[in-house]
Amino acid sequence: MYPCGNCRAVAVGPDGRCAACGTYQQQLQQHPAPAAGPGGYPAASPMGMPTGGVDLRRGLSTTLTVLFALMIPTLILVTIGRGGQYGVVSDMLDNSSDVSLDDANDADNFYLGMSVLNALVTIPATIVWAIWFRRLRLNAEAFAPGQHRMGPGWAAGSWFTPVVNLWFPKQIANDIWRASSPQGPHRVNRALLNGWWVTLLVSIGVGLVGSMQYTAADTRLTQMESGDISGGIGEVRGVIEDMKSALGISIFAMVITIAAAILALLLVRQITAMQEQRAALPPQMAPMGPMGGAPGTPGGPSPYGAPGPSPYGGSPYGGAPQTPPAMPQNPPGTYPPYGQG
């Protein structure tokens, strides 16, 4: 048993797992090995894996899976609510006598209620996602130390920082995905990751356009009804058409958001499995030299590359053997004069 790097309890067994907090530990490197091992990862020394703990507990990933499983039905209900509003506005433009003010209010209330229900799931999912994403980043640091563009703090903070949240999270996710790949960093298929990120950005952008257009049309219609601004039948109809167009854009954005949520659910499962498989790989040994030593050690290959040509016209390692210049011999008991020895 030895101390845990997470909770400091002396409860880590031979398997590297702390019995107190459940965190997996990775032993300290005493002799860093610069050479690359199988799969392209830095080779570990015989003493163990890179410094740092890998936390493979599934509490956060399971919570996210449940929250996304709840979020998807609420998104569907929000889409249905938008569809109800779209239907009422379409009937108004068709001059249907079956549409009343109560129908419009009922459609608005249903959409509002479903939006609140969705927010009750989305807000905690966003918080848990940031915490889980930071844990992934910490695990990835243990897999590939010093090979990440941003620190663990950005893994959580970048989601809530305006402007940079449009690309920082994706760069961090790329580094995590590369470091966590069991096949090696140079054989990484990021189709799921890229698909999720594109659908997320498109859903946010399209949803923002639809929401702004609907708010502007609804505000203008309210002002016309209250008499704050004047408008004839043609102007009112034009505002309602704008509202219908905005609702159509919003429905399209909700469909993309549902796709993004499904891909996010798959992403949580995929990257969790990747990190578990990556952590299960045995420590990779560094390539050994002809005498059994590691690079840079006695008996191992030179860390500076192959020796260059000899200044005497050949290489003692690659060319013909060279005879060193003969040294002057002195009779026994005699010494060379000063300046010649």
Side-chain angles (χ1 to χ4, degrees), residues 238-258:
V239 172
I240 295 177
E241 288 178 349
D242 292 341
M243 186 176 294
K244 178 181 177 181
S245 175
L247 289 172
I249 295 175
S250 181
I251 292 173
F252 178 66
M254 292 306 303
V255 172
I256 302 177
T257 304
I258 294 172

Side-chain angles (χ1 to χ4, degrees), residues 111-128:
Y111 170 76
L112 180 60
M114 295 304 101
S115 297
V116 172
L117 182 62
N118 175 254
L120 293 177
V121 181
T122 302
I123 293 175
T126 303
I127 297 173
V128 176

Side-chain angles (χ1 to χ4, degrees), residues 9-27:
V10 184
V12 181
D15 60 347
R17 182 180 178 88
C18 177
C21 66
T23 303
Y24 280 91
Q25 306 297 309
Q26 296 185 14
Q27 298 177 3

Side-chain angles (χ1 to χ4, degrees), residues 62 88 142 166 229 231 241-242 257 309 333:
T62 301
V88 170
L166 297 177
I229 60 175
E241 288 178 349
D242 292 341
T257 304

Side-chain angles (χ1 to χ4, degrees), residues 9 11 65 94 108 159 169 241 261 324:
T65 301
D94 294 338
D108 292 340
W159 295 98
E241 288 178 349

Side-chain angles (χ1 to χ4, degrees), residues 88-175:
V88 170
V89 172
S90 297
D91 290 341
M92 292 173 61
L93 290 175
D94 294 338
N95 295 322
S96 175
S97 59
D98 298 333
V99 180
S100 63
L101 182 60
D102 291 338
D103 294 332
N105 291 332
D106 291 342
D108 292 340
N109 292 335
F110 181 80
Y111 170 76
L112 180 60
M114 295 304 101
S115 297
V116 172
L117 182 62
N118 175 254
L120 293 177
V121 181
T122 302
I123 293 175
T126 303
I127 297 173
V128 176
W129 176 277
I131 299 172
W132 171 78
F133 198 69
R134 182 177 181 273
R135 176 182 291 182
L136 293 182
R137 172 63 180 80
L138 292 173
N139 288 347
E141 182 68 29
F143 297 145
Q147 300 182 24
H148 298 265
R149 286 170 281 188
M150 300 174 194
W154 276 115
S158 62
W159 295 98
F160 308 101
T161 306
V163 182
V164 301
N165 56 6
L166 297 177
W167 74 88
F168 273 26
K170 181 57 166 60
Q171 290 184 338
I172 298 172
N174 287 343
D175 293 341

Side-chain angles (χ1 to χ4, degrees), residues 29 33-38 41-49 282-288 292 294-295:
Q29 282 267 31
Y41 292 108
S45 72
M47 298 301 297
M49 299 178 70
Q284 305 296 334
M285 303 296 292
M288 309 300 285

